[in-house]
Amino acid sequence: MSTSGPRNPRPQSAIRATRRAVAACATALQSFARPGLLGAALAIGAAGAPALAADEIVAGSITNSPPMISYAADGTTLQGVIVDLAAAMSKQMGRTIVFKSIPFPGLLPAMQAKHIDITFTLMNDTAERQKLLDFVDYFNLGTKLLIKKGNPEHVDGLETLCGKTVSTVQGSTQVTLVAQANAKCAETGKPAIENLQYAQPADARLQVQTGRVAAFLGNSPVMVYLASTAGEGTVFDVVRDKEYQPEPVGIGVAKDNTALRDTLQKALNALIADGSYLKILAKHGVEGGALKSATINMGR
């Protein structure tokens, strides 16, 4: 006969607690087996490592200014000088530049809110904008007047616009150009120029086509391209012997991100050195705006 007494039974409360813990663990494991929560768990576990897309450089741009940047016939594929330069620079850097379509007036606010990393668009490098951004200059362009075919309003230059209506893009340097022309109209006692400003270049150009305005003030290569291609050359013309505001356009970078600025400059200078840059410009017929080197903040 055993001299040991009977073993004390395990308290029922402890048993219930153990069962609850096991059940909770099982539920948790089942939950993480679901695809969505499994992905969340992996993301949390990898939080210390950079995401695969972190190497992408997000560029804000207007996307309706051929031949510099516009959508192809499929409506989804971007094409043009800027797109080709970005692709070539991406190879040089080992980082991909991806585009985000933003109306011109929204580009600077998007940079300030850090929704984009750079602006890669038709933005003139000016002293005023340099207060907010650094610019890696990639092209030279000026302003031309886009007019209706046949020039029914007899526009021969800025001095002939007094008393007429024109269109520009909000926030563009052309807005300042119209203001300067208006000052000269006032000096000579002529009526002012009315300036209709639009967020999208396409909307501003449409006003010329419909006859609402006498001219659209826009970037030279785009104006020349549209005059020769829209309606097979039957819709628009340009005042060909007049060009204003010859200034570089640049890739805008946050002033506190000098590393990215210098990386972009190095990549662009490599393309200039090996001839790729000029080939891209020539492909689109705009080699006249080529720079000899990628400069920083050379706009006035």
Side-chain angles (χ1 to χ4, degrees), residues 127-174:
E128 189 66 24
R129 287 175 179 150
Q130 287 169 19
K131 296 176 183 177
L132 302 173
L133 302 176
D134 281 339
F135 287 92
V136 179
D137 299 325
Y138 70 90
F139 190 73
N140 265 327
L141 57 70
T143 293
K144 277 190 174 293
L145 308 181
L146 186 73
I147 55 178
K148 198 169 185 177
K149 194 71 175 181
N151 197 8
E153 294 286 339
H154 307 290
V155 176
D156 296 317
L158 288 176
E159 66 280 0
T160 63
L161 290 174
C162 299
K164 300 182 186 295
T165 303
V166 301
S167 59
T168 59
V169 174
Q170 295 170 6
S172 67
T173 56
Q174 286 81 16

mmCIF file of all heavy atoms in Angstrom, residues 127-174:
data_model
loop_
_atom_site.group_PDB
_atom_site.id
_atom_site.type_symbol
_atom_site.label_atom_id
_atom_site.label_comp_id
_atom_site.label_asym_id
_atom_site.label_seq_id
_atom_site.Cartn_x
_atom_site.Cartn_y
_atom_site.Cartn_z
ATOM 1 N N ALA A 127 14.728 82.956 -60.626
ATOM 2 C CA ALA A 127 15.239 83.366 -59.313
ATOM 3 C C ALA A 127 14.157 83.240 -58.249
ATOM 4 O O ALA A 127 14.444 82.861 -57.097
ATOM 5 C CB ALA A 127 15.754 84.794 -59.386
ATOM 6 N N GLU A 128 12.926 83.534 -58.605
ATOM 7 C CA GLU A 128 11.824 83.449 -57.644
ATOM 8 C C GLU A 128 11.583 82.011 -57.213
ATOM 9 O O GLU A 128 11.405 81.717 -56.027
ATOM 10 C CB GLU A 128 10.556 84.047 -58.261
ATOM 11 C CG GLU A 128 9.403 84.220 -57.288
ATOM 12 C CD GLU A 128 9.680 85.243 -56.192
ATOM 13 O OE1 GLU A 128 10.525 86.147 -56.404
ATOM 14 O OE2 GLU A 128 9.047 85.128 -55.118
ATOM 15 N N ARG A 129 11.594 81.086 -58.162
ATOM 16 C CA ARG A 129 11.356 79.681 -57.835
ATOM 17 C C ARG A 129 12.532 79.069 -57.092
ATOM 18 O O ARG A 129 12.374 78.099 -56.352
ATOM 19 C CB ARG A 129 11.052 78.891 -59.112
ATOM 20 C CG ARG A 129 9.669 79.192 -59.685
ATOM 21 C CD ARG A 129 9.432 78.508 -60.997
ATOM 22 N NE ARG A 129 8.095 78.785 -61.518
ATOM 23 C CZ ARG A 129 7.776 78.822 -62.793
ATOM 24 N NH1 ARG A 129 8.711 78.585 -63.709
ATOM 25 N NH2 ARG A 129 6.550 79.091 -63.178
ATOM 26 N N GLN A 130 13.717 79.631 -57.296
ATOM 27 C CA GLN A 130 14.894 79.128 -56.588
ATOM 28 C C GLN A 130 14.817 79.364 -55.084
ATOM 29 O O GLN A 130 15.563 78.737 -54.325
ATOM 30 C CB GLN A 130 16.159 79.784 -57.143
ATOM 31 C CG GLN A 130 16.562 79.288 -58.523
ATOM 32 C CD GLN A 130 17.646 80.129 -59.151
ATOM 33 O OE1 GLN A 130 18.360 80.865 -58.455
ATOM 34 N NE2 GLN A 130 17.788 80.056 -60.462
ATOM 35 N N LYS A 131 13.907 80.209 -54.660
ATOM 36 C CA LYS A 131 13.698 80.398 -53.225
ATOM 37 C C LYS A 131 13.056 79.159 -52.603
ATOM 38 O O LYS A 131 13.187 78.915 -51.402
ATOM 39 C CB LYS A 131 12.812 81.615 -52.975
ATOM 40 C CG LYS A 131 13.425 82.939 -53.428
ATOM 41 C CD LYS A 131 12.447 84.086 -53.244
ATOM 42 C CE LYS A 131 13.023 85.406 -53.751
ATOM 43 N NZ LYS A 131 12.050 86.524 -53.640
ATOM 44 N N LEU A 132 12.393 78.363 -53.438
ATOM 45 C CA LEU A 132 11.683 77.176 -52.957
ATOM 46 C C LEU A 132 12.369 75.879 -53.344
ATOM 47 O O LEU A 132 12.325 74.895 -52.591
ATOM 48 C CB LEU A 132 10.253 77.170 -53.511
ATOM 49 C CG LEU A 132 9.381 78.377 -53.169
ATOM 50 C CD1 LEU A 132 8.059 78.293 -53.925
ATOM 51 C CD2 LEU A 132 9.130 78.443 -51.674
ATOM 52 N N LEU A 133 12.986 75.853 -54.533
ATOM 53 C CA LEU A 133 13.570 74.625 -55.058
ATOM 54 C C LEU A 133 14.953 74.891 -55.626
ATOM 55 O O LEU A 133 15.288 76.020 -55.980
ATOM 56 C CB LEU A 133 12.694 74.056 -56.193
ATOM 57 C CG LEU A 133 11.239 73.713 -55.909
ATOM 58 C CD1 LEU A 133 10.559 73.273 -57.204
ATOM 59 C CD2 LEU A 133 11.121 72.626 -54.853
ATOM 60 N N ASP A 134 15.746 73.838 -55.744
ATOM 61 C CA ASP A 134 16.944 73.855 -56.574
ATOM 62 C C ASP A 134 16.565 73.258 -57.923
ATOM 63 O O ASP A 134 15.703 72.368 -57.998
ATOM 64 C CB ASP A 134 18.068 73.029 -55.941
ATOM 65 C CG ASP A 134 18.779 73.784 -54.830
ATOM 66 O OD1 ASP A 134 18.705 75.025 -54.805
ATOM 67 O OD2 ASP A 134 19.406 73.119 -53.983
ATOM 68 N N PHE A 135 17.228 73.726 -58.982
ATOM 69 C CA PHE A 135 16.918 73.237 -60.322
ATOM 70 C C PHE A 135 18.149 72.641 -60.984
ATOM 71 O O PHE A 135 19.217 73.249 -60.998
ATOM 72 C CB PHE A 135 16.375 74.370 -61.200
ATOM 73 C CG PHE A 135 14.978 74.788 -60.840
ATOM 74 C CD1 PHE A 135 14.760 75.810 -59.931
ATOM 75 C CD2 PHE A 135 13.882 74.154 -61.401
ATOM 76 C CE1 PHE A 135 13.469 76.192 -59.586
ATOM 77 C CE2 PHE A 135 12.589 74.526 -61.073
ATOM 78 C CZ PHE A 135 12.385 75.539 -60.158
ATOM 79 N N VAL A 136 17.968 71.432 -61.531
ATOM 80 C CA VAL A 136 18.966 70.833 -62.406
ATOM 81 C C VAL A 136 18.508 71.147 -63.826
ATOM 82 O O VAL A 136 17.558 70.536 -64.332
ATOM 83 C CB VAL A 136 19.069 69.306 -62.193
ATOM 84 C CG1 VAL A 136 20.112 68.706 -63.135
ATOM 85 C CG2 VAL A 136 19.393 68.978 -60.749
ATOM 86 N N ASP A 137 19.149 72.111 -64.456
ATOM 87 C CA ASP A 137 18.688 72.581 -65.764
ATOM 88 C C ASP A 137 18.977 71.544 -66.843
ATOM 89 O O ASP A 137 20.090 70.999 -66.917
ATOM 90 C CB ASP A 137 19.369 73.907 -66.111
ATOM 91 C CG ASP A 137 19.038 74.994 -65.093
ATOM 92 O OD1 ASP A 137 17.900 74.999 -64.591
ATOM 93 O OD2 ASP A 137 19.914 75.825 -64.805
ATOM 94 N N TYR A 138 17.953 71.263 -67.690
ATOM 95 C CA TYR A 138 18.111 70.218 -68.696
ATOM 96 C C TYR A 138 17.787 70.662 -70.111
ATOM 97 O O TYR A 138 18.009 69.915 -71.075
ATOM 98 C CB TYR A 138 17.257 68.990 -68.334
ATOM 99 C CG TYR A 138 15.756 69.208 -68.477
ATOM 100 C CD1 TYR A 138 15.098 68.942 -69.665
ATOM 101 C CD2 TYR A 138 14.994 69.668 -67.404
ATOM 102 C CE1 TYR A 138 13.735 69.138 -69.802
ATOM 103 C CE2 TYR A 138 13.636 69.857 -67.511
ATOM 104 C CZ TYR A 138 13.015 69.591 -68.725
ATOM 105 O OH TYR A 138 11.655 69.802 -68.848
ATOM 106 N N PHE A 139 17.283 71.911 -70.276
ATOM 107 C CA PHE A 139 16.848 72.327 -71.608
ATOM 108 C C PHE A 139 16.666 73.840 -71.613
ATOM 109 O O PHE A 139 16.350 74.444 -70.582
ATOM 110 C CB PHE A 139 15.513 71.641 -71.949
ATOM 111 C CG PHE A 139 15.059 71.784 -73.377
ATOM 112 C CD1 PHE A 139 15.688 71.080 -74.390
ATOM 113 C CD2 PHE A 139 13.989 72.602 -73.701
ATOM 114 C CE1 PHE A 139 15.262 71.196 -75.712
ATOM 115 C CE2 PHE A 139 13.548 72.727 -75.014
ATOM 116 C CZ PHE A 139 14.191 72.014 -76.024
ATOM 117 N N ASN A 140 16.867 74.446 -72.766
ATOM 118 C CA ASN A 140 16.604 75.876 -72.938
ATOM 119 C C ASN A 140 15.351 76.063 -73.785
ATOM 120 O O ASN A 140 15.219 75.422 -74.839
ATOM 121 C CB ASN A 140 17.782 76.558 -73.651
ATOM 122 C CG ASN A 140 18.761 77.176 -72.675
ATOM 123 O OD1 ASN A 140 18.381 77.644 -71.608
ATOM 124 N ND2 ASN A 140 20.035 77.175 -73.030
ATOM 125 N N LEU A 141 14.479 76.921 -73.341
ATOM 126 C CA LEU A 141 13.324 77.240 -74.179
ATOM 127 C C LEU A 141 12.859 78.662 -73.906
ATOM 128 O O LEU A 141 13.235 79.289 -72.921
ATOM 129 C CB LEU A 141 12.186 76.247 -73.989
ATOM 130 C CG LEU A 141 11.573 75.986 -72.611
ATOM 131 C CD1 LEU A 141 10.767 77.151 -72.104
ATOM 132 C CD2 LEU A 141 10.686 74.755 -72.679
ATOM 133 N N GLY A 142 12.043 79.154 -74.811
ATOM 134 C CA GLY A 142 11.461 80.478 -74.655
ATOM 135 C C GLY A 142 9.956 80.390 -74.793
ATOM 136 O O GLY A 142 9.364 79.305 -74.712
ATOM 137 N N THR A 143 9.326 81.530 -75.024
ATOM 138 C CA THR A 143 7.873 81.607 -75.178
ATOM 139 C C THR A 143 7.535 82.062 -76.589
ATOM 140 O O THR A 143 8.134 83.005 -77.109
ATOM 141 C CB THR A 143 7.276 82.601 -74.176
ATOM 142 O OG1 THR A 143 7.439 82.090 -72.853
ATOM 143 C CG2 THR A 143 5.788 82.826 -74.434
ATOM 144 N N LYS A 144 6.579 81.393 -77.197
ATOM 145 C CA LYS A 144 6.044 81.813 -78.490
ATOM 146 C C LYS A 144 4.539 82.013 -78.386
ATOM 147 O O LYS A 144 3.893 81.510 -77.456
ATOM 148 C CB LYS A 144 6.367 80.784 -79.576
ATOM 149 C CG LYS A 144 7.762 80.930 -80.172
ATOM 150 C CD LYS A 144 7.930 80.067 -81.395
ATOM 151 C CE LYS A 144 9.270 80.317 -82.077
ATOM 152 N NZ LYS A 144 9.352 81.669 -82.664
ATOM 153 N N LEU A 145 4.001 82.749 -79.336
ATOM 154 C CA LEU A 145 2.571 83.015 -79.392
ATOM 155 C C LEU A 145 1.913 82.027 -80.346
ATOM 156 O O LEU A 145 2.256 81.981 -81.537
ATOM 157 C CB LEU A 145 2.304 84.443 -79.860
ATOM 158 C CG LEU A 145 3.027 85.562 -79.112
ATOM 159 C CD1 LEU A 145 2.618 86.927 -79.687
ATOM 160 C CD2 LEU A 145 2.730 85.508 -77.626
ATOM 161 N N LEU A 146 0.996 81.233 -79.826
ATOM 162 C CA LEU A 146 0.206 80.314 -80.643
ATOM 163 C C LEU A 146 -1.051 81.050 -81.085
ATOM 164 O O LEU A 146 -1.791 81.584 -80.247
ATOM 165 C CB LEU A 146 -0.169 79.073 -79.839
ATOM 166 C CG LEU A 146 -0.870 77.950 -80.615
ATOM 167 C CD1 LEU A 146 0.121 77.235 -81.529
ATOM 168 C CD2 LEU A 146 -1.521 76.955 -79.658
ATOM 169 N N ILE A 147 -1.276 81.086 -82.372
ATOM 170 C CA ILE A 147 -2.421 81.831 -82.923
ATOM 171 C C ILE A 147 -3.247 80.917 -83.834
ATOM 172 O O ILE A 147 -2.794 79.835 -84.216
ATOM 173 C CB ILE A 147 -1.945 83.063 -83.721
ATOM 174 C CG1 ILE A 147 -0.945 82.635 -84.800
ATOM 175 C CG2 ILE A 147 -1.310 84.095 -82.783
ATOM 176 C CD1 ILE A 147 -0.452 83.766 -85.691
ATOM 177 N N LYS A 148 -4.427 81.364 -84.164
ATOM 178 C CA LYS A 148 -5.288 80.580 -85.042
ATOM 179 C C LYS A 148 -4.740 80.633 -86.469
ATOM 180 O O LYS A 148 -4.163 81.636 -86.899
ATOM 181 C CB LYS A 148 -6.714 81.147 -85.003
ATOM 182 C CG LYS A 148 -7.778 80.195 -85.511
ATOM 183 C CD LYS A 148 -9.175 80.718 -85.195
ATOM 184 C CE LYS A 148 -10.228 79.704 -85.592
ATOM 185 N NZ LYS A 148 -11.598 80.175 -85.227
ATOM 186 N N LYS A 149 -4.915 79.536 -87.190
ATOM 187 C CA LYS A 149 -4.423 79.470 -88.564
ATOM 188 C C LYS A 149 -5.001 80.628 -89.392
ATOM 189 O O LYS A 149 -6.195 80.911 -89.328
ATOM 190 C CB LYS A 149 -4.826 78.130 -89.190
ATOM 191 C CG LYS A 149 -4.096 77.814 -90.481
ATOM 192 C CD LYS A 149 -2.644 77.486 -90.210
ATOM 193 C CE LYS A 149 -1.923 77.048 -91.490
ATOM 194 N NZ LYS A 149 -0.500 76.711 -91.213
ATOM 195 N N GLY A 150 -4.127 81.281 -90.124
ATOM 196 C CA GLY A 150 -4.559 82.433 -90.910
ATOM 197 C C GLY A 150 -4.428 83.749 -90.189
ATOM 198 O O GLY A 150 -4.601 84.813 -90.787
ATOM 199 N N ASN A 151 -4.156 83.682 -88.855
ATOM 200 C CA ASN A 151 -3.953 84.871 -88.030
ATOM 201 C C ASN A 151 -5.057 85.922 -88.207
ATOM 202 O O ASN A 151 -4.798 87.080 -88.566
ATOM 203 C CB ASN A 151 -2.583 85.495 -88.352
ATOM 204 C CG ASN A 151 -2.122 86.464 -87.276
ATOM 205 O OD1 ASN A 151 -2.725 86.582 -86.207
ATOM 206 N ND2 ASN A 151 -1.048 87.180 -87.567
ATOM 207 N N PRO A 152 -6.314 85.525 -87.934
ATOM 208 C CA PRO A 152 -7.422 86.472 -88.131
ATOM 209 C C PRO A 152 -7.363 87.692 -87.215
ATOM 210 O O PRO A 152 -7.955 88.729 -87.530
ATOM 211 C CB PRO A 152 -8.663 85.618 -87.821
ATOM 212 C CG PRO A 152 -8.158 84.524 -86.930
ATOM 213 C CD PRO A 152 -6.780 84.226 -87.403
ATOM 214 N N GLU A 153 -6.633 87.587 -86.083
ATOM 215 C CA GLU A 153 -6.542 88.704 -85.147
ATOM 216 C C GLU A 153 -5.318 89.589 -85.437
ATOM 217 O O GLU A 153 -5.074 90.557 -84.718
ATOM 218 C CB GLU A 153 -6.457 88.180 -83.714
ATOM 219 C CG GLU A 153 -7.704 87.465 -83.233
ATOM 220 C CD GLU A 153 -8.847 88.412 -82.940
ATOM 221 O OE1 GLU A 153 -8.593 89.613 -82.722
ATOM 222 O OE2 GLU A 153 -10.002 87.955 -82.935
ATOM 223 N N HIS A 154 -4.564 89.244 -86.481
ATOM 224 C CA HIS A 154 -3.391 90.042 -86.901
ATOM 225 C C HIS A 154 -2.401 90.249 -85.746
ATOM 226 O O HIS A 154 -1.989 91.366 -85.453
ATOM 227 C CB HIS A 154 -3.844 91.397 -87.470
ATOM 228 C CG HIS A 154 -4.865 91.283 -88.561
ATOM 229 N ND1 HIS A 154 -4.565 90.786 -89.810
ATOM 230 C CD2 HIS A 154 -6.202 91.565 -88.563
ATOM 231 C CE1 HIS A 154 -5.664 90.777 -90.563
ATOM 232 N NE2 HIS A 154 -6.666 91.235 -89.828
ATOM 233 N N VAL A 155 -2.033 89.144 -85.126
ATOM 234 C CA VAL A 155 -1.068 89.178 -84.025
ATOM 235 C C VAL A 155 0.341 89.018 -84.591
ATOM 236 O O VAL A 155 0.647 88.015 -85.243
ATOM 237 C CB VAL A 155 -1.355 88.051 -83.008
ATOM 238 C CG1 VAL A 155 -0.290 88.027 -81.917
ATOM 239 C CG2 VAL A 155 -2.750 88.207 -82.418
ATOM 240 N N ASP A 156 1.169 90.007 -84.357
ATOM 241 C CA ASP A 156 2.546 89.968 -84.859
ATOM 242 C C ASP A 156 3.576 90.017 -83.735
ATOM 243 O O ASP A 156 4.780 90.041 -83.993
ATOM 244 C CB ASP A 156 2.791 91.135 -85.819
ATOM 245 C CG ASP A 156 1.922 91.032 -87.066
ATOM 246 O OD1 ASP A 156 1.806 89.915 -87.605
ATOM 247 O OD2 ASP A 156 1.343 92.057 -87.476
ATOM 248 N N GLY A 157 3.130 90.056 -82.498
ATOM 249 C CA GLY A 157 4.024 90.118 -81.356
ATOM 250 C C GLY A 157 3.276 90.641 -80.152
ATOM 251 O O GLY A 157 2.082 90.997 -80.231
ATOM 252 N N LEU A 158 3.951 90.715 -79.028
ATOM 253 C CA LEU A 158 3.312 91.190 -77.799
ATOM 254 C C LEU A 158 2.748 92.592 -77.950
ATOM 255 O O LEU A 158 1.688 92.913 -77.402
ATOM 256 C CB LEU A 158 4.328 91.167 -76.643
ATOM 257 C CG LEU A 158 4.731 89.799 -76.080
ATOM 258 C CD1 LEU A 158 5.819 89.969 -75.024
ATOM 259 C CD2 LEU A 158 3.525 89.065 -75.491
ATOM 260 N N GLU A 159 3.452 93.426 -78.701
ATOM 261 C CA GLU A 159 3.028 94.824 -78.838
ATOM 262 C C GLU A 159 1.716 94.967 -79.590
ATOM 263 O O GLU A 159 1.064 96.011 -79.516
ATOM 264 C CB GLU A 159 4.131 95.625 -79.543
ATOM 265 C CG GLU A 159 4.388 95.246 -80.992
ATOM 266 C CD GLU A 159 5.259 94.007 -81.167
ATOM 267 O OE1 GLU A 159 5.676 93.423 -80.152
ATOM 268 O OE2 GLU A 159 5.503 93.638 -82.340
ATOM 269 N N THR A 160 1.279 93.919 -80.283
ATOM 270 C CA THR A 160 0.011 93.984 -81.028
ATOM 271 C C THR A 160 -1.144 93.358 -80.250
ATOM 272 O O THR A 160 -2.244 93.208 -80.788
ATOM 273 C CB THR A 160 0.153 93.264 -82.385
ATOM 274 O OG1 THR A 160 0.419 91.876 -82.167
ATOM 275 C CG2 THR A 160 1.280 93.877 -83.199
ATOM 276 N N LEU A 161 -0.897 92.980 -78.999
ATOM 277 C CA LEU A 161 -1.933 92.330 -78.200
ATOM 278 C C LEU A 161 -2.745 93.298 -77.334
ATOM 279 O O LEU A 161 -3.723 92.880 -76.705
ATOM 280 C CB LEU A 161 -1.304 91.266 -77.300
ATOM 281 C CG LEU A 161 -0.758 90.025 -78.016
ATOM 282 C CD1 LEU A 161 -0.028 89.120 -77.030
ATOM 283 C CD2 LEU A 161 -1.885 89.253 -78.713
ATOM 284 N N CYS A 162 -2.355 94.563 -77.268
ATOM 285 C CA CYS A 162 -3.095 95.536 -76.447
ATOM 286 C C CYS A 162 -4.555 95.572 -76.886
ATOM 287 O O CYS A 162 -4.856 95.655 -78.088
ATOM 288 C CB CYS A 162 -2.473 96.921 -76.587
ATOM 289 S SG CYS A 162 -0.754 97.026 -76.057
ATOM 290 N N GLY A 163 -5.453 95.457 -75.910
ATOM 291 C CA GLY A 163 -6.880 95.472 -76.213
ATOM 292 C C GLY A 163 -7.429 94.116 -76.620
ATOM 293 O O GLY A 163 -8.634 93.995 -76.873
ATOM 294 N N LYS A 164 -6.595 93.092 -76.686
ATOM 295 C CA LYS A 164 -7.032 91.754 -77.070
ATOM 296 C C LYS A 164 -7.038 90.832 -75.850
ATOM 297 O O LYS A 164 -6.543 91.195 -74.781
ATOM 298 C CB LYS A 164 -6.124 91.180 -78.165
ATOM 299 C CG LYS A 164 -6.084 92.004 -79.453
ATOM 300 C CD LYS A 164 -5.212 91.341 -80.493
ATOM 301 C CE LYS A 164 -5.033 92.223 -81.738
ATOM 302 N NZ LYS A 164 -6.309 92.433 -82.450
ATOM 303 N N THR A 165 -7.566 89.628 -76.028
ATOM 304 C CA THR A 165 -7.610 88.631 -74.958
ATOM 305 C C THR A 165 -6.661 87.496 -75.303
ATOM 306 O O THR A 165 -6.623 87.027 -76.451
ATOM 307 C CB THR A 165 -9.033 88.079 -74.781
ATOM 308 O OG1 THR A 165 -9.932 89.160 -74.527
ATOM 309 C CG2 THR A 165 -9.100 87.099 -73.615
ATOM 310 N N VAL A 166 -5.896 87.063 -74.317
ATOM 311 C CA VAL A 166 -4.969 85.947 -74.497
ATOM 312 C C VAL A 166 -5.224 84.906 -73.413
ATOM 313 O O VAL A 166 -5.987 85.139 -72.470
ATOM 314 C CB VAL A 166 -3.498 86.420 -74.425
ATOM 315 C CG1 VAL A 166 -3.215 87.471 -75.493
ATOM 316 C CG2 VAL A 166 -3.148 86.943 -73.030
ATOM 317 N N SER A 167 -4.558 83.767 -73.538
ATOM 318 C CA SER A 167 -4.653 82.727 -72.509
ATOM 319 C C SER A 167 -3.250 82.287 -72.107
ATOM 320 O O SER A 167 -2.311 82.321 -72.915
ATOM 321 C CB SER A 167 -5.467 81.523 -72.996
ATOM 322 O OG SER A 167 -4.895 80.958 -74.158
ATOM 323 N N THR A 168 -3.122 81.887 -70.848
ATOM 324 C CA THR A 168 -1.867 81.378 -70.300
ATOM 325 C C THR A 168 -2.186 80.267 -69.303
ATOM 326 O O THR A 168 -3.355 80.024 -68.968
ATOM 327 C CB THR A 168 -1.066 82.482 -69.564
ATOM 328 O OG1 THR A 168 -1.874 83.007 -68.504
ATOM 329 C CG2 THR A 168 -0.661 83.614 -70.507
ATOM 330 N N VAL A 169 -1.137 79.610 -68.814
ATOM 331 C CA VAL A 169 -1.285 78.592 -67.773
ATOM 332 C C VAL A 169 -1.046 79.244 -66.418
ATOM 333 O O VAL A 169 -0.085 80.007 -66.242
ATOM 334 C CB VAL A 169 -0.295 77.438 -67.997
ATOM 335 C CG1 VAL A 169 -0.347 76.449 -66.836
ATOM 336 C CG2 VAL A 169 -0.596 76.728 -69.312
ATOM 337 N N GLN A 170 -1.899 78.956 -65.464
ATOM 338 C CA GLN A 170 -1.767 79.506 -64.111
ATOM 339 C C GLN A 170 -0.387 79.194 -63.531
ATOM 340 O O GLN A 170 0.088 78.069 -63.615
ATOM 341 C CB GLN A 170 -2.833 78.911 -63.181
ATOM 342 C CG GLN A 170 -4.255 79.276 -63.526
ATOM 343 C CD GLN A 170 -5.258 78.462 -62.724
ATOM 344 O OE1 GLN A 170 -4.891 77.695 -61.837
ATOM 345 N NE2 GLN A 170 -6.534 78.617 -63.024
ATOM 346 N N GLY A 171 0.232 80.203 -62.952
ATOM 347 C CA GLY A 171 1.513 80.007 -62.295
ATOM 348 C C GLY A 171 2.710 79.956 -63.222
ATOM 349 O O GLY A 171 3.839 79.795 -62.764
ATOM 350 N N SER A 172 2.500 80.113 -64.527
ATOM 351 C CA SER A 172 3.605 80.037 -65.490
ATOM 352 C C SER A 172 4.305 81.391 -65.605
ATOM 353 O O SER A 172 3.774 82.436 -65.217
ATOM 354 C CB SER A 172 3.082 79.612 -66.864
ATOM 355 O OG SER A 172 2.239 80.618 -67.420
ATOM 356 N N THR A 173 5.508 81.365 -66.172
ATOM 357 C CA THR A 173 6.238 82.619 -66.382
ATOM 358 C C THR A 173 5.551 83.491 -67.429
ATOM 359 O O THR A 173 5.781 84.698 -67.476
ATOM 360 C CB THR A 173 7.684 82.334 -66.833
ATOM 361 O OG1 THR A 173 7.663 81.517 -68.011
ATOM 362 C CG2 THR A 173 8.463 81.620 -65.739
ATOM 363 N N GLN A 174 4.693 82.874 -68.254
ATOM 364 C CA GLN A 174 3.978 83.650 -69.270
ATOM 365 C C GLN A 174 2.982 84.630 -68.644
ATOM 366 O O GLN A 174 2.658 85.652 -69.251
ATOM 367 C CB GLN A 174 3.260 82.711 -70.245
ATOM 368 C CG GLN A 174 4.182 82.015 -71.228
ATOM 369 C CD GLN A 174 4.872 80.801 -70.655
ATOM 370 O OE1 GLN A 174 4.459 80.277 -69.606
ATOM 371 N NE2 GLN A 174 5.902 80.307 -71.326
#
